[in-house]
Amino acid sequence: MKEDIYFLGIDGGGSHCRARLESADGRLLGRGFGGPANPCYGLDLAMRSIEKAAAAALADAGLPPGLMDRLRVGAGVAGLHLPRYRDAMCNASHPFEQLVLTDDLHIACLGAHGGGDGAVIIVGTGFSALSVVDGVAHTIGAHGFMMGEACSGAHIGFAAVNAALLAYDRLGQETLLAELLGRELGGEGLMLANALAGATADRYAALAPVVFEAAERGDAVAGRILREAAAFIDRVAQRLLERDPPRLSLVGGIAERIVPWLAPDIAARLLPAEAPAEVGAIHLAREGIAPAPTSIPETGISS
Amino acid sequence: MKEDIYFLGIDGGGSHCRARLESADGRLLGRGFGGPANPCYGLDLAMRSIEKAAAAALADAGLPPGLMDRLRVGAGVAGLHLPRYRDAMCNASHPFEQLVLTDDLHIACLGAHGGGDGAVIIVGTGFSALSVVDGVAHTIGAHGFMMGEACSGAHIGFAAVNAALLAYDRLGQETLLAELLGRELGGEGLMLANALAGATADRYAALAPVVFEAAERGDAVAGRILREAAAFIDRVAQRLLERDPPRLSLVGGIAERIVPWLAPDIAARLLPAEAPAEVGAIHLAREGIAPAPTSIPETGISS
């Protein structure tokens, strides 16, 4: 029966994942949340986070949990452009009728531009960017924790911790960041390092608001970190615009606060995303197979 | 019986640990090696690495493994200046007669200066520095993977990967590092990030020789990474020399290769370490309690 088919879109980020449940005729039925879905924290945790978000969306819709095996799921998951994680996740068992997997960048672009051509820059816990023009995709970044980027929330938080430690050791300029991070994490110098030993990307990204606060209060070191992050985003935008995408959007947890730091000509080119990434994931769920962006080898696998 | 007492010194680094076995009257009896001893990779692994190095030293000395419980052990372990790791490790069970624990920096300084005053800069997998003058200790760095430093092997390796990824995305200058790291790790761009996803500090430190090779072949980006690392070490040396230590030594895996990049007046102040860190650890084993450097709160705990 037609009414027994449900479509679920999952935006699986490094910090948490978000689910959107729709009926066959496109009505929003419910929403749900789960934990981190990036398989770099472990495949089991990622799959559990997705299942938890799906269960929460069913509950939100007032539907029984037993409908899990009737869900046609599209999921965009952080880190899934890397073969090591994609292979593991595509082979993992799941309770759904169908699970179409791609990376989070791909669904953000589908969502931002209504499934059409366009470019998107994600600055959340991590950084990545994608343009899709006339069916040709071009990816920038998405290399993982602080690799090949200088603008993600994790990078900004890490740079702030670094600056505070250098100031503590009298190897770098004094900064308000030392005091603010010390208050946030319960100690400076040794105790700051102690609090953050083994910290993951989302832990550093959670410190990014402290950098904005320090910069707004006139701290030169925090200002430099944000100016460098913004200049990096400017360069990324220029690379994407070389391919003439009809639309360009900046999305993710720190997007809104970094805009005033961008070059005015870049900021003027930004258009709001039409819909969030989980709506892009619904596109995938409905199509049943992920149209692979060509510059991401073998991305978008139906299982 | 006097001849039944054995002293074992352990230099427990982030990549591997080294043991030195001496008789009660100070004769070298044997040496041994074990895996990583930094408890940031897990307390069990760290304790196993130390026990493995101890067992290997006993075997090297032609002594039976049953003598483990006759060993008086002094161990300097990377990361142990951080309370979270020190507390865990000091409460761990061990098979020795006695285990005196401190951090790796402390035993490096004891070894380098024959147990006397002096200063030491360690640039191996990580970075840390210590001066001990008239019983007053002053620590710099030792904050953990790439935190508050710009000169460790891990930092240099990470900076190289970063530069290669930025070049790949046309966001940074072209560099020979892209080719050399690509050869080392089996791919560029996406595949480089794939190979290094979740990599630990020692993995990045293992890439540092590639940076020296590229710089020696005239690569500007590699040269800049090494100049910045050397300038950082210069600043650290200046801080240490403000306290007038009678001796200053630079030790660790990349010490020898970075010396030509240092400022000439700093390089001229360096004296070779008198003995390696495991000899410093033997000092601890013989004293039975660790004389805590005052700037490292509560470091050096006998258990």
Side-chain angles (χ1 to χ4, degrees):
Chain A
M1 290 187 299
K2 186 96 194 259
E3 61 271 31
D4 279 331
I5 300 174
Y6 299 98
F7 295 100
L8 187 84
I10 296 267
D11 175 20
S15 302
H16 56 263
C17 72
R18 222 182 283 265
R20 177 188 177 90
L21 183 66
E22 289 189 5
S23 62
D25 59 357
R27 280 175 301 121
L28 170 63
L29 298 176
R31 298 175 192 277
F33 291 88
N38 190 326
C40 80
Y41 302 137
L43 182 64
D44 285 350
L45 176 62
M47 293 305 296
R48 271 204 314 276
S49 295
I50 289 173
E51 288 173 29
K52 191 180 160 201
L58 279 174
D60 186 45
L63 292 167
L67 283 185
M68 202 76 118
D69 62 3
R70 306 294 270 279
L71 299 181
R72 297 189 185 172
V73 182
V77 174
L80 222 72
H81 61 296
L82 296 181
R84 68 191 302 160
Y85 296 135
R86 192 186 57 219
D87 295 348
M89 205 141 180
C90 288
N91 289 320
S93 67
H94 61 76
F96 309 120
E97 183 181 321
Q98 187 178 47
L99 174 62
V100 182
L101 287 163
T102 188
D103 57 275
D104 55 339
L105 186 54
H106 190 177
I107 58 162
C109 200
L110 288 171
H113 310 303
D117 281 3
V120 70
I121 303 173
I122 307 185
V123 282
T125 299
F127 156 76
S128 56
L130 174 71
S131 71
V132 179
V133 178
D134 296 332
V136 179
H138 177 67
T139 306
I140 298 176
H143 299 309
F145 185 29
M146 293 198 309
M147 290 212 284
E149 55 104 346
C151 65
S152 69
H155 174 93
I156 289 171
F158 187 88
V161 171
N162 222 26
L165 290 172
L166 290 175
Y168 175 81
D169 279 337
R170 292 194 307 121
L171 294 165
Q173 197 178 343
E174 280 193 36
T175 167
L176 179 59
L177 289 168
E179 184 193 323
L180 296 182
L181 290 174
R183 199 178 301 161
E184 188 87 10
L185 295 165
E188 56 177 344
L190 179 69
M191 296 313 294
L192 199 61
N194 187 53
L196 289 169
T200 48
D202 56 326
R203 190 83 194 287
Y204 286 108
L207 301 174
V210 174
V211 187
F212 284 98
E213 183 193 339
E216 282 153 16
R217 287 169 63 181
D219 184 65
V221 173
R224 193 174 60 233
I225 291 170
L226 294 181
R227 267 197 311 282
E228 286 173 5
F232 186 90
I233 295 171
D234 289 340
R235 284 206 300 285
V236 170
Q238 282 157 2
R239 288 284 159 280
L240 293 173
L241 291 170
E242 284 170 5
R243 291 170 187 257
D244 271 328
R247 295 171 47 88
L248 171 64
S249 299
L250 179 68
V251 301
I254 70 154
E256 200 178 316
R257 284 188 94 170
I258 201 80
V259 169
W261 297 79
L262 299 178
D265 61 318
I266 296 295
R269 293 295 304 266
L270 299 176
L271 292 169
E274 287 185 5
E278 62 269 28
V279 172
I282 290 268
H283 280 278
L284 282 189
R286 291 188 180 275
E287 285 167 11
I289 51 162
T294 53
S295 74
I296 308 182
E298 299 167 57
T299 293
I301 283 154
S302 174
S303 69
Chain B
M1 289 187 300
K2 188 96 195 257
E3 60 272 31
D4 278 332
I5 300 174
Y6 299 97
F7 295 100
L8 187 84
I10 296 267
D11 175 20
S15 301
H16 56 263
C17 72
R18 222 181 283 267
R20 176 188 177 90
L21 183 66
E22 289 189 6
S23 62
D25 59 357
R27 281 175 301 122
L28 170 64
L29 299 176
R31 297 175 192 277
F33 291 88
N38 190 326
C40 80
Y41 301 136
L43 182 63
D44 286 349
L45 176 62
M47 293 305 295
R48 271 203 314 275
S49 294
I50 288 173
E51 289 173 30
K52 192 182 159 198
L58 279 174
D60 186 45
L63 291 168
L67 283 185
M68 202 76 118
D69 62 3
R70 305 295 271 279
L71 298 180
R72 295 188 186 172
V73 182
V77 175
L80 223 71
H81 62 295
L82 296 182
R84 67 190 301 159
Y85 295 136
R86 192 186 59 219
D87 295 347
M89 204 143 181
C90 289
N91 288 321
S93 66
H94 61 77
F96 309 120
E97 184 181 320
Q98 188 178 48
L99 175 62
V100 182
L101 286 164
T102 188
D103 58 276
D104 55 340
L105 186 54
H106 191 179
I107 58 163
C109 201
L110 289 171
H113 310 304
D117 280 4
V120 70
I121 303 172
I122 306 185
V123 280
T125 300
F127 155 77
S128 56
L130 175 71
S131 71
V132 179
V133 178
D134 298 331
V136 179
H138 178 68
T139 307
I140 298 176
H143 299 309
F145 185 29
M146 294 197 309
M147 289 212 284
E149 55 104 345
C151 66
S152 69
H155 174 92
I156 290 171
F158 187 88
V161 170
N162 221 26
L165 290 172
L166 290 176
Y168 175 80
D169 280 337
R170 292 193 306 122
L171 295 165
Q173 198 179 342
E174 279 192 37
T175 167
L176 180 59
L177 289 167
E179 184 193 324
L180 296 181
L181 289 174
R183 200 178 301 161
E184 186 88 10
L185 295 165
E188 54 176 346
L190 180 68
M191 296 313 293
L192 199 62
N194 189 53
L196 290 169
T200 48
D202 56 326
R203 190 84 195 286
Y204 285 108
L207 301 174
V210 174
V211 186
F212 284 98
E213 184 193 338
E216 283 152 16
R217 287 169 63 181
D219 184 65
V221 173
R224 191 174 62 231
I225 292 171
L226 294 181
R227 267 197 310 282
E228 286 174 4
F232 186 90
I233 295 172
D234 290 340
R235 284 205 300 284
V236 170
Q238 282 157 2
R239 289 284 160 279
L240 295 172
L241 291 170
E242 284 169 5
R243 292 170 188 258
D244 271 327
R247 295 171 47 86
L248 171 64
S249 298
L250 180 68
V251 301
I254 70 152
E256 202 177 314
R257 286 188 93 170
I258 200 80
V259 168
W261 297 80
L262 298 179
D265 61 319
I266 297 295
R269 293 295 304 266
L270 299 177
L271 292 169
E274 288 184 5
E278 61 268 29
V279 172
I282 290 269
H283 281 279
L284 282 190
R286 290 188 180 277
E287 287 167 9
I289 52 162
T294 53
S295 75
I296 307 183
E298 299 168 55
T299 294
I301 284 152
S302 174
S303 69

